[in-house]
Amino acid sequence: MARNMNSNFYVMLGIGANALWGAAFIVPYALHDFPSELITIFRYFVYGVTSIAVLLLLGLGNVRISFPIFMAANVISFCGNVGYYLFLTFGIKYSGFVYPALIIGLLPVSVILFGACQGRRQSLLGLLPGIGLIVFGIVLINFLSVNDASGLTLDADHVRGIVFSLMALSLLTIYCIANARFLKSNIGISSLRWAGLLGICALLQSLLLTLFAYVFVGHDMSVFTAYSADRLIAFMLGVVFLGVFVSYVAMWLWNVSSRHISSIVAGRVLCLETIFALAYGYMLDARMPHSFELLGICLIVLGGYLVQWCAGRAGLEV
């Protein structure tokens, strides 16, 4: 009984992390008039500063980190933070929140497929029914969904948004696998310290992205003069929320959770990120999902659970 209670506690921590991560889709959607690079830069600047403050306050910053661990942290942080979110914000900017949320919702499946392709290719056949449901769900949303009186078509912007979202999914898949393996093989590094180290790496990378945005895109502080005071306040509140809660708090919760639950259970929990993101988005738009959207969402979620169930029976832990 105590073991089940402990397991449920760590699952609840994972659900809390996904509820926060779901908001990551909505902030750039609400701040669509701001450049994606600036949202990413300021989010991870706040995340990095928060990480340094917490590490100093708790006395966790006086531990020597080896160069290989620091480099691993940079790669993992880029895949799960700056790189992932930059592509995600571009995806949301071009195609709205529904497509990116559903594509990122394929994360549990992409992680399991990675494990299947790595060492147990014969298990791929058992995953095909679930994958088929997911593909059919995406087809329903992309081609059969109705938007007001006209059909929803895949114009150039939507295609661009889907491509960016797929790039974000690829980076996030690498992050999930690499981060889980690192945590399980380096038990001497606490979840709180690891979240802080990833935040510091994200801060350094956000500064490099700032330089890139200035040199190649031409963004500087003068870009903010084009916005009203209300929009600037919304921007600051949005990036602070992203940096403190969606990044630092959610990362810490997930690190603690993923150390104590299996990858199959973690995959089921990760499906909730999509549900939270879509729910927040529909609330922001003050509308209910269209019938084909709702059917497609149900098929994708069902397909995700079917893939995870089959993976669990085949022993495809990653």
Side-chain angles (χ1 to χ4, degrees):
M1 176 70 74
R3 185 176 180 180
N4 287 337
M5 287 181 64
N6 287 336
S7 177
N8 290 336
F9 171 73
Y10 292 117
V11 169
M12 291 303 296
L13 292 182
I15 292 174
N18 280 269
L20 289 171
W21 280 336
F25 296 82
I26 303 309
V27 174
Y29 183 63
L31 300 176
H32 58 87
D33 49 334
F34 287 89
S36 300
E37 301 93 333
L38 293 184
I39 297 174
T40 303
I41 287 168
F42 278 86
R43 170 185 177 172
Y44 290 108
F45 179 82
V46 173
Y47 176 27
V49 171
T50 303
S51 300
I52 294 172
V54 172
L55 290 175
L56 292 176
L57 286 173
L58 298 181
L60 299 175
N62 56 352
V63 176
R64 181 173 296 179
I65 299 295
S66 67
F67 183 74
I69 288 181
F70 178 71
M71 293 305 297
N74 267 287
V75 173
I76 292 172
S77 182
F78 178 80
C79 291
N81 290 308
V82 175
Y84 152 70
Y85 199 64
L86 180 62
F87 288 129
L88 178 63
T89 54
F90 277 125
I92 294 169
K93 188 180 188 70
Y94 286 113
S95 61
F97 71 89
V98 174
Y99 296 129
L102 290 171
I103 289 172
I104 298 302
L106 300 178
L107 176 64
V109 177
S110 66
V111 170
I112 290 170
L113 285 177
F114 181 89
C117 292
Q118 248 190 338
R120 303 191 61 176
R121 292 178 178 82
Q122 69 274 17
S123 301
L124 282 172
L125 288 177
L127 306 181
L128 290 181
I131 294 172
L133 285 178
I134 292 168
V135 172
F136 186 52
I138 292 174
V139 169
L140 275 178
I141 292 172
N142 284 348
F143 297 104
L144 300 179
S145 179
V146 290
N147 186 6
D148 296 328
S150 60
L152 180 62
T153 58
L154 281 179
D155 57 21
D157 277 348
H158 281 94
V159 171
R160 208 173 284 125
I162 289 171
V163 170
F164 280 125
S165 299
L166 288 171
M167 294 169 72
L169 174 64
S170 300
L171 287 178
L172 199 56
T173 302
I174 296 171
Y175 159 77
C176 282
I177 295 169
N179 189 62
R181 288 179 176 175
F182 181 90
L183 286 170
K184 289 173 182 176
S185 60
N186 293 271
I187 57 176
I189 300 179
S190 70
S191 299
L192 195 60
R193 182 180 288 120
W194 182 241
L197 180 58
L198 293 182
I200 292 172
C201 293
L203 172 61
L204 297 175
Q205 291 164 16
S206 72
L207 295 177
L208 290 176
L209 183 60
T210 302
L211 181 62
F212 177 87
Y214 175 74
V215 173
F216 295 99
V217 185
H219 290 320
D220 56 29
M221 295 304 289
S222 65
V223 72
F224 291 108
T225 60
Y227 299 96
S228 65
D230 289 345
R231 293 304 293 160
L232 290 176
I233 292 173
F235 177 82
M236 294 308 300
L237 290 176
V239 296
V240 168
F241 176 74
L242 286 171
V244 176
F245 294 99
V246 180
S247 294
Y248 189 87
V249 175
M251 186 75 72
W252 172 53
L253 291 175
W254 185 249
N255 285 343
V256 175
S257 177
S258 60
R259 262 183 165 151
H260 295 87
I261 60 177
S262 70
S263 62
I264 299 301
V265 174
R268 291 179 181 142
V269 173
L270 283 169
C271 281
L272 296 175
E273 180 183 354
T274 298
I275 305 301
F276 282 117
L278 291 171
Y280 299 153
Y282 289 128
M283 284 191 292
L284 195 64
D285 279 352
R287 72 174 180 91
M288 293 294 291
H290 298 302
S291 56
F292 281 113
E293 285 179 320
L294 190 58
L295 178 58
I297 290 166
C298 291
L299 288 174
I300 289 170
V301 173
L302 178 61
Y305 271 89
L306 183 58
V307 167
Q308 293 155 41
W309 181 76
C310 293
R313 293 192 64 184
L316 292 176
E317 293 281 342
V318 294

